[in-house]
Amino acid sequence: MTDLLTAVAIIFLVAGPFLLVANRFDLPTVPFLVLAGIVAGGFIDDTDLLLELAYYGIALLVFTFGTRIDLSGVRAVLADGELAALGQILVVGSLGVGFGIVLGVPPMEAVYLGIAAALSSTIVGTALLERTVNSDPVRGRLVRSIQFVQDLLAILFILLLGAGSLEVGYVGPALASGVALLLAALLANRYLFDIIGQLAGDSDELMILGVVALLTVFVGAAEFAGVPIVVGAFAAGLAVRYDPVDYLGLFNGLQSIRDFFVAIFFVTIGALVVFPFVGDIGWAESVEKLVLVAGLVVLTAVVKPAITTAILVARGYEARSATLASLHTDQVSEFALIIAIQAYMLDAVSPAIFDAIILAAAITMVTSSLTHRYDEQIYRTLADRGVITGRHDRVDAWSDVPADLTDHVIIVGYGRQGRTLVEACEEMDHPYVVIENDPARREEIARECEAIVVGDAMETYTWEKANVDDAKLVVSTVNSQPVSRRVLSLDTDAEVTLRAADRATALELLDAGALYVGQPDLLAGQQLARQVRELLEGDLTREQLREQQQDELERRADYIPLHLR
């Protein structure tokens, strides 16, 4: 225990300065955490301790991310996510196995290479996704559905390979135990979670303790059944109902736990890295390891996103949504690392294969944060050069715009502001068309709106469907700089109003040609000042103000963003 606490202390002491640098210059934290791990590895020479720390740390991370799985939120795109996930694993996994066999790797060890190349990281993908999920819910659910299906398949691989080989006497009981744990998790989610909430009352602390107790029960059950504890941790996460509206305190607490173990995870991965041509590693062994790492990186960071994009485009998703979603899959999964760690501890894989998987994981987790940072530029470069071409089947099938629509208002986004604008246009009997890229809301919008285009506002075809050439006004309610820049770049005589998250961005957009830019804090302040003035001057009574506020809150409660449902 003392050695473990010492290792954790070293990890955070070393990681602190790296995180300060990343925060100071607004840089991605993942590369700096991995670099911190490489440095920390020089102070922690106990590989077994690092493996144990990584194993248990990943298991707890899997639990915290399992709690964020919302089955209703991915239902609309689950079939497409399932196909993309299966396509990734089948194609990339086969290529990984074949790559290893060509290099002379034994077939069973080549299977671990295939798994490492095929599975994508829920930790990295979700952490990067949180920054954009509000402005791009379609991409959010696509990525989450892919991750969910891959996580289930990863659990299957862990159960199958838990003994280090496909032993008949182990596989059957392991699969039965895994299925039993997952079924128990679904039952707990449906029936037991509400009971825990009722017993906890309004106490967030008791709710967190109840969920931790649930984790303990499932991990203990996994240990008793003789299956890896990560299976129990994942099941415990599924047992927690994703409801951050009613259980805000619980999910804030889990967020803190997750952040703690995310730091340990990335630093530990860095500490486990063994570089070729360093130390006692021979030339031939280093070359072999370097080739293995290069192959895994190419399969993971290039081939896998390309296959995902092709599958999603073939399913009718627009090229941009497909490409940006696929760029969340360009890293080695933490599940693959768990499988590799188990195999290494059971002597089922050689040190060379294990080191190659760890180094490839570290590299792809660093590069993934960079590709996400520049995802729009990557997509635009590929699209401009004709590498990616989209299909518009769904846009045509789901859109409904009168052919003679002119002098109309184009409303981008159908959230709270979009609804208010639609109501205003209908009151004035002014023609309008709503652009919304969320296919899960198309039926709702079709019922409530006169004209709609279900498509991506970044795509030219979407604006053609909305007849932007003859529009009078374009109003974007989406708080997204890429969307705002795209609207400003349109070749149209229509006036443009946009939305920005902060004052500096709002000023930039005004300078770039926007007629008006809404900024939430400014608008809220103006509304508050107006209400105070009316209250002081007697134009608004205390009872009227309370009634207006209550009516507004009740009306807006009817709409809950999909990522919070």
Side-chain angles (χ1 to χ4, degrees):
M1 177 60 73
T2 302
D3 292 339
L4 183 63
L5 293 176
T6 301
V8 173
I10 292 173
I11 283 174
F12 280 101
L13 285 173
V14 174
F18 284 89
L19 288 176
L20 287 174
V21 172
N23 183 66
R24 174 66 179 81
F25 296 100
D26 192 27
L27 298 171
T29 59
V30 172
F32 284 87
L33 287 172
V34 174
L35 288 174
I38 294 173
V39 174
F43 299 94
I44 307 173
D45 55 1
D46 190 340
T47 303
D48 292 337
L49 181 63
L50 287 173
L51 290 173
E52 182 181 1
L53 186 60
Y55 184 79
Y56 286 102
I58 294 174
L60 290 172
L61 273 177
V62 167
F63 161 71
T64 61
F65 280 95
T67 63
R68 302 177 67 85
I69 293 176
D70 178 17
L71 295 178
S72 64
V74 299
R75 190 174 301 154
V77 289
L78 185 58
D80 297 330
E82 179 180 291
L83 187 59
L86 293 174
Q88 275 186 11
I89 291 176
L90 181 61
V91 178
V92 181
S94 299
L95 290 174
V97 173
F99 170 71
I101 291 176
V102 168
L103 293 180
V105 176
M108 194 60 210
E109 293 191 42
V111 169
Y112 292 99
L113 290 177
I115 291 174
L119 297 178
S120 303
S121 173
T122 302
I123 293 175
V124 178
T126 303
L128 297 175
L129 184 64
E130 287 178 348
R131 305 174 188 175
T132 56
V133 66
N134 291 336
S135 61
D136 196 346
V138 177
R139 190 201 326 183
R141 287 200 312 282
L142 272 174
V143 174
R144 282 176 174 162
S145 65
I146 292 172
Q147 289 173 344
F148 176 63
V149 174
Q150 285 208 353
D151 287 351
L152 290 179
L153 293 173
I155 292 295
L156 176 62
F157 292 148
I158 290 174
L159 290 171
L160 290 175
L161 299 171
S165 63
L166 296 175
E167 297 180 0
V168 177
Y170 168 82
V171 169
L175 286 177
S177 300
V179 171
L181 284 171
L182 294 178
L183 289 176
L186 295 178
L187 291 173
N189 182 292
R190 186 175 180 86
Y191 301 108
L192 181 60
F193 189 73
D194 283 336
I195 296 176
I196 295 175
Q198 292 171 4
L199 293 174
D202 295 329
S203 173
D204 294 333
E205 291 79 8
L206 287 177
M207 194 66 196
I208 293 174
L209 285 175
V211 169
V212 171
L214 200 63
L215 169 64
T216 304
V217 169
F218 274 94
V219 169
E223 285 274 19
F224 180 78
V227 298
I229 63 168
V230 68
V231 179
F234 181 73
L238 292 180
V240 177
R241 186 177 305 157
Y242 183 66
D243 190 354
V245 176
D246 292 338
Y247 298 103
L248 180 61
L250 168 64
F251 283 91
N252 285 339
L254 293 176
Q255 175 77 21
S256 300
I257 296 174
R258 188 198 70 172
D259 292 342
F260 176 81
F261 284 104
V262 161
I264 290 181
F265 168 72
F266 286 115
V267 176
T268 305
I269 295 304
L272 286 170
V273 167
V274 177
F275 290 101
F277 307 105
V278 175
D280 299 330
I281 302 177
W283 179 268
E285 184 180 351
S286 295
V287 171
E288 177 189 2
K289 185 182 299 183
L290 196 60
V291 173
L292 287 171
V293 171
L296 280 177
V297 169
V298 170
L299 287 172
T300 303
V302 179
V303 177
K304 184 161 54 177
I307 291 171
T308 306
T309 301
I311 293 173
L312 293 176
V313 169
R315 294 287 298 174
Y317 280 89
E318 290 180 288
R320 177 175 173 270
S321 295
T323 303
L324 298 186
S326 72
L327 289 176
H328 286 271
T329 66
D330 60 348
Q331 66 287 122
V332 175
S333 170
E334 59 276 356
F335 281 108
L337 295 178
I338 287 178
I339 294 171
I341 290 172
Q342 285 185 170
Y344 181 70
M345 296 175 72
L346 293 170
D347 295 325
V349 296
S350 65
I353 298 296
F354 177 74
D355 291 344
I357 292 174
I358 294 294
L359 183 53
I363 292 173
T364 56
M365 287 175 179
V366 170
T367 57
S368 182
S369 64
L370 298 176
T371 56
H372 180 268
R373 193 180 185 91
Y374 302 103
D375 54 2
E376 291 285 354
Q377 294 91 323
I378 292 172
Y379 164 69
R380 189 54 56 190
T381 299
L382 295 174
D384 291 344
R385 296 183 179 180
V387 177
I388 299 175
T389 56
R391 293 172 53 183
H392 309 296
D393 307 39
R394 292 195 177 191
V395 178
D396 291 331
W398 292 348
S399 301
D400 183 14
V401 181
D404 58 348
L405 188 65
T406 60
D407 197 31
H408 55 290
V409 178
I410 298 178
I411 302 169
V412 182
Y414 195 63
R416 298 189 185 101
Q417 290 186 4
R419 286 187 174 192
T420 302
L421 291 170
V422 166
E423 291 172 1
C425 288
E426 291 179 346
E427 288 176 3
M428 296 184 295
D429 196 25
H430 192 92
Y432 68 90
V433 59
V434 173
I435 293 178
E436 172 61 59
N437 73 330
D438 190 348
R441 305 190 61 201
R442 60 187 176 88
E443 294 182 0
E444 171 194 356
I445 299 172
R447 288 194 308 267
E448 300 177 358
C449 300
E450 298 174 357
I452 64 170
V453 175
V454 182
D456 195 325
M458 297 293 291
E459 296 289 346
T460 301
Y461 189 72
T462 299
W463 293 101
E464 293 176 0
K465 292 289 291 186
N467 197 14
V468 69
D469 292 339
D470 296 323
K472 183 177 183 179
L473 178 66
V474 177
V475 183
S476 174
T477 67
V478 180
N479 183 13
S480 168
Q481 283 199 53
V483 171
S484 296
R485 297 291 180 185
R486 181 71 181 97
V487 173
L488 287 173
S489 70
L490 295 172
D491 185 14
T492 177
D493 294 330
E495 297 289 357
V496 172
T497 73
L498 304 170
R499 185 180 178 189
D502 53 72
R503 176 177 173 272
T505 303
L507 289 173
E508 290 177 6
L509 295 175
L510 285 171
D511 291 339
L515 173 68
Y516 178 83
V517 180
Q519 203 264 320
D521 291 340
L522 176 62
L523 294 175
Q526 290 174 344
Q527 182 180 8
L528 178 61
R530 183 174 65 253
Q531 290 172 339
V532 171
R533 183 169 57 251
E534 291 176 352
L535 187 64
L536 293 176
E537 293 177 353
D539 297 333
L540 187 67
T541 66
R542 179 173 176 271
E543 290 74 18
Q544 287 174 331
L545 178 60
R546 287 175 59 86
E547 185 178 348
Q548 287 180 8
Q549 177 73 355
Q550 186 174 0
D551 290 344
E552 180 70 9
L553 290 173
E554 289 176 353
R555 183 179 69 84
R556 293 193 176 191
D558 293 336
Y559 169 69
I560 300 175
L562 284 171
H563 70 285
L564 293 181
R565 291 180 183 176

